[in-house]
Amino acid sequence: MKITKNQIASDLKSLGLKEGSHVAVSLSLKSIGFVEGGPDAFIDAVLDVIGPEGTLMMNTYTRLFPLSDIDSHYVFDPETTIPWTGIVPSTLMKRKNAIRSRHPACSVVALGKHARFLTEGHDEHVENEYLPYVKLAQTNGHYLCIGINDNFVAIRHEAQRRAGLFVVPKFTGVMYKNRQGETKPFILRNAICSVTQPLLVPQLVEMGIVKRGKIGMASSTLSPASELIEAMTSLLSEDPTLNLCSNAFCLECRELERRLNLYDSIRNPGFFQRNIAARKLIELRNKIVLRRYACVRVSNSKQNGKPNLSLFAERGIPNLVGSISRILGKSGTNGGKEQTNSSNELSQDAIGSRT
Ligand SMILES: [Zn+2]
């Protein structure tokens, strides 16, 4: 089915988007149908509705590697690095006056009235990688989710963070270019599973916070960012077990329930949650897996991908960053041309932690 720009604009209005709205959009373009004019038509439709007094923001997330496999050849540069969040954000990045924040992993792009405010300070030094969503809430902005099965990408992590669920020491990293043009390492502690988050949505609809509708053929939702973050935070704070998925091998959930000792409050615990021996076995397995995310190794083809640094993250992130800087100062800046196989694979876990 062919969907035109005007139809998208009219659907956006029916859902509640208005002139002057500030809106963050997470979407699957193809779920809308065959959009005549592609990503540009979608962007134009949003801009037509919100007008010059409104703002459009989208995630332009980029790669992260387990700490033991940082690829020294992949260097994030906000000017050029293509995001993995899809064709619409990459298209928005190219628009005149669009501003992309400098965060080496969780950057966003914004266009419109509050574009500068939303992206300002969102760089390698920021404490909270979801800062643009905190600011979106401050501007009375909205969160629009199109065709991705109620996965409130990014904004849900701000709620999980506020609910105190960022407790698993799983570190990922990436090289990036700073404002001075120097290549530096960046490390992120951010490990949380979001598989069960869409299950909160029916309750949020009932509370009147999330409004459901359609954009083209895609099931979509629109919510005020501030109320959405607050409501999700209070649901998760009252009952952190709502965050737990039922996969025995989910490192994030199994470590979360162990570290917060949630076992007694899980409503229908699985065997691996009831049985002490099974818990111990899972704990041991996760301890081994977490090592990949606790030791730093920057792969460099000159050294055949052999580890050139190993440190435990428990010593603290500033120490780690300093250590990697020193190592790269010695060997990383003029590395060989060919990439090592071990460093090329993108960790799906790392991506999952930032969706
Ligand atoms: Zn999980």
Side-chain angles (χ1 to χ4, degrees):
M1 190 170 131
K2 222 183 228 182
I3 314 282
T4 62
K5 184 187 89 171
N6 288 342
Q7 191 188 335
I8 294 175
S10 129
D11 288 350
L12 288 168
K13 281 185 204 158
S14 312
L15 192 56
L17 211 62
K18 293 187 186 86
E19 202 177 331
S21 291
H22 312 296
V23 66
V25 184
S26 294
L27 86 159
S28 152
L29 185 65
K30 66 171 192 266
S31 71
I32 297 175
F34 178 77
V35 177
E36 207 175 48
D40 274 309
F42 175 82
I43 293 168
D44 287 336
V46 178
L47 297 178
D48 281 356
V49 175
I50 63 178
E53 289 299 301
T55 318
L56 167 62
M57 179 170 99
M58 298 192 85
N59 295 319
T60 49
Y61 286 7
T62 43
R63 295 174 72 174
L64 274 173
F65 303 89
L67 223 46
S68 63
D69 279 317
I70 297 178
D71 183 347
S72 66
H73 299 280
Y74 179 88
V75 179
F76 170 76
D77 179 345
E79 304 293 325
T80 54
T81 305
I82 296 166
W84 57 257
T85 41
I87 182 92
V88 184
S90 344
T91 306
L92 182 61
M93 265 171 60
K94 292 175 199 143
R95 288 288 176 108
K96 199 180 162 220
N97 298 328
I99 304 173
R100 187 187 199 181
S101 65
R102 299 191 65 93
H103 194 281
C106 307
S107 65
V108 299
V109 61
L111 178 62
K113 191 179 181 191
H114 289 318
R116 187 156 302 280
F117 172 70
L118 293 173
T119 52
E120 219 163 42
H122 190 232
D123 58 18
E124 68 271 38
H125 305 298
V126 76
E127 243 172 74
N128 177 7
E129 60 268 30
Y130 303 108
L131 178 70
Y133 288 89
V134 175
K135 290 187 173 185
L136 181 75
Q138 287 167 5
T139 63
N140 290 322
H142 283 75
Y143 182 81
L144 172 60
C145 185
I146 302 174
I148 45 175
N149 300 322
D150 288 347
N151 278 295
F152 291 175
V153 175
I155 201 164
R156 59 190 174 189
H157 295 318
E158 177 54 17
Q160 291 170 316
R161 191 187 66 80
R162 290 186 191 190
L165 305 184
F166 279 14
V167 295
V168 181
K170 185 180 167 194
F171 294 85
T172 47
V174 69
M175 304 304 296
Y176 74 98
K177 199 175 260 185
N178 70 10
R179 283 186 177 82
Q180 287 74 42
E182 301 159 320
T183 300
K184 298 272 185 187
F186 173 78
I187 291 171
L188 189 69
R189 173 180 177 152
N190 181 343
I192 189 96
C193 172
S194 297
V195 168
T196 60
Q197 294 295 304
L199 303 176
L200 302 179
V201 177
Q203 205 170 334
L204 296 164
V205 172
E206 219 165 273
M207 292 162 81
I209 292 167
V210 172
K211 187 185 171 197
R212 284 197 189 280
K214 286 239 170 190
I215 306 295
M217 301 195 302
S219 303
S220 308
T221 61
L222 186 73
S223 333
S226 170
E227 290 172 43
L228 181 63
I229 294 172
E230 275 166 32
M232 288 180 95
T233 303
S234 69
L235 289 176
L236 292 171
S237 305
E238 277 163 31
D239 185 1
T241 68
L242 291 174
N243 203 87
L244 301 173
C245 77
S246 55
N247 176 0
F249 296 102
C250 176
L251 175 121
E252 284 86 356
C253 291
R254 304 298 66 91
E255 275 299 293
L256 182 68
E257 68 195 9
R258 186 180 75 79
R259 283 168 190 264
L260 298 184
N261 195 17
L262 301 175
Y263 298 110
D264 289 341
S265 29
I266 299 168
R267 263 181 289 276
N268 294 303
F271 174 77
F272 58 89
Q273 289 162 320
R274 291 192 310 264
N275 185 280
I276 304 283
R279 281 192 216 167
K280 283 281 161 207
L281 216 62
I282 287 172
E283 180 184 347
L284 185 69
R285 177 254 180 196
N286 288 345
K287 220 175 188 173
I288 295 166
V289 177
L290 274 174
R291 269 195 214 155
R292 258 190 103 201
Y293 297 89
C295 297
V296 180
R297 187 201 299 166
V298 180
S299 295
N300 182 311
S301 55
K302 273 201 165 171
Q303 300 177 7
N304 300 321
K306 281 182 192 155
N308 51 18
L309 180 69
S310 271
L311 270 179
F312 280 94
E314 301 298 337
R315 284 179 54 188
I317 295 178
N319 284 349
L320 280 173
V321 173
S323 304
I324 309 177
S325 299
R326 281 197 295 281
I327 289 293
L328 287 166
K330 281 182 206 153
S331 65
T333 46
N334 56 355
K337 296 263 185 307
E338 48 172 323
Q339 299 200 346
T340 56
N341 288 334
S342 65
S343 63
N344 278 344
E345 278 169 39
L346 176 57
S347 157
Q348 288 304 318
D349 290 346
I351 290 183
S353 68
R354 289 177 306 137
T355 51

